[in-house]
Amino acid sequence: MNQMQEMTRAAEEAGHVLLEKGCMLVTAESCTGGLIGAVCTQVPGSSSWFFGGVISYANEAKMQGLSVAEETLLTFGAVSEQTVREMCAGALQLGGNISVAVSGVAGPGGGSEEKPVGCVYIGWQLLGQEAKVERFQFSGDRQAVREATVFAALRGVKALLNDALK
């Protein structure tokens, strides 16, 4: 099984839980550039659990498309817990009732001592609740970091739904 097939399988598993819990997923993607949405829409029938999303690569897209505050970006940076928290909330303003947001340094450049290549923040939020944000440190090249982010994002969707909506 190739990586796309494995990611699609992960999306199928998340979709099963989303359907079971009666939820619609909305995404806010930066470093993955729409890859989460792409694997979700590989799944036949995903329109019953996948609302859509925003690819917010530039800071301006985060501000205009997801209502991330300019002050947040200036103070903490695009790759931060605070920004991802606001991305989750902004995505839920579009629709759906659970969001996943990702922002990170996929590489090969752009890293720093504080946020090296492979540093990715992923957040999940159920409508009406606080977002949960985790920092990950993935290894490998740009594609490997992006793919690892997709897997972690989809695993987190399942975990949040299974924990919160028992």
Side-chain angles (χ1 to χ4, degrees):
M1 191 178 299
N2 68 33
Q3 276 297 91
M4 187 62 173
Q5 290 169 321
E6 288 184 31
M7 287 188 293
T8 302
R9 182 174 171 88
E12 286 173 342
E13 292 171 6
H16 178 77
V17 177
L18 285 156
L19 270 177
E20 182 181 283
K21 305 291 185 178
C23 291
M24 288 287 281
L25 177 66
V26 59
T27 59
E29 300 185 64
S30 186
C31 63
T32 49
L35 193 54
I36 298 168
V39 299
C40 287
T41 57
Q42 280 284 107
V43 179
S46 58
S47 60
S48 60
W49 53 264
F50 181 68
F51 178 82
V54 172
I55 301 170
S56 56
Y57 207 69
N59 284 350
E60 292 78 10
K62 290 174 182 65
M63 292 185 296
Q64 294 172 19
L66 296 167
S67 302
V68 174
E70 183 176 19
E71 183 178 327
T72 301
L73 293 163
L74 292 173
T75 304
F76 302 103
V79 179
S80 66
E81 175 183 344
Q82 295 83 355
T83 294
V84 166
R85 192 172 295 283
E86 290 184 28
M87 289 171 68
C88 278
L92 286 170
Q93 291 175 5
L94 302 173
N97 49 14
I98 181 173
S99 63
V100 62
V102 300
S103 188
V105 185
S112 66
E113 194 171 311
E114 184 184 324
K115 299 172 187 173
V117 170
C119 171
V120 178
Y121 286 87
I122 304 177
W124 304 268
Q125 185 174 3
L126 278 166
L127 192 61
Q129 296 186 14
E130 289 292 315
K132 174 187 174 191
V133 180
E134 288 184 41
R135 178 183 168 142
F136 294 83
Q137 185 60 51
F138 299 121
S139 60
D141 65 9
R142 184 175 183 83
Q143 189 63 20
V145 170
R146 290 165 40 112
E147 290 170 353
T149 302
V150 170
F151 283 116
L154 292 171
R155 278 194 300 271
V157 167
K158 286 178 14 184
L160 180 62
L161 288 173
N162 284 328
D163 289 347
L165 303 175
K166 293 181 179 178

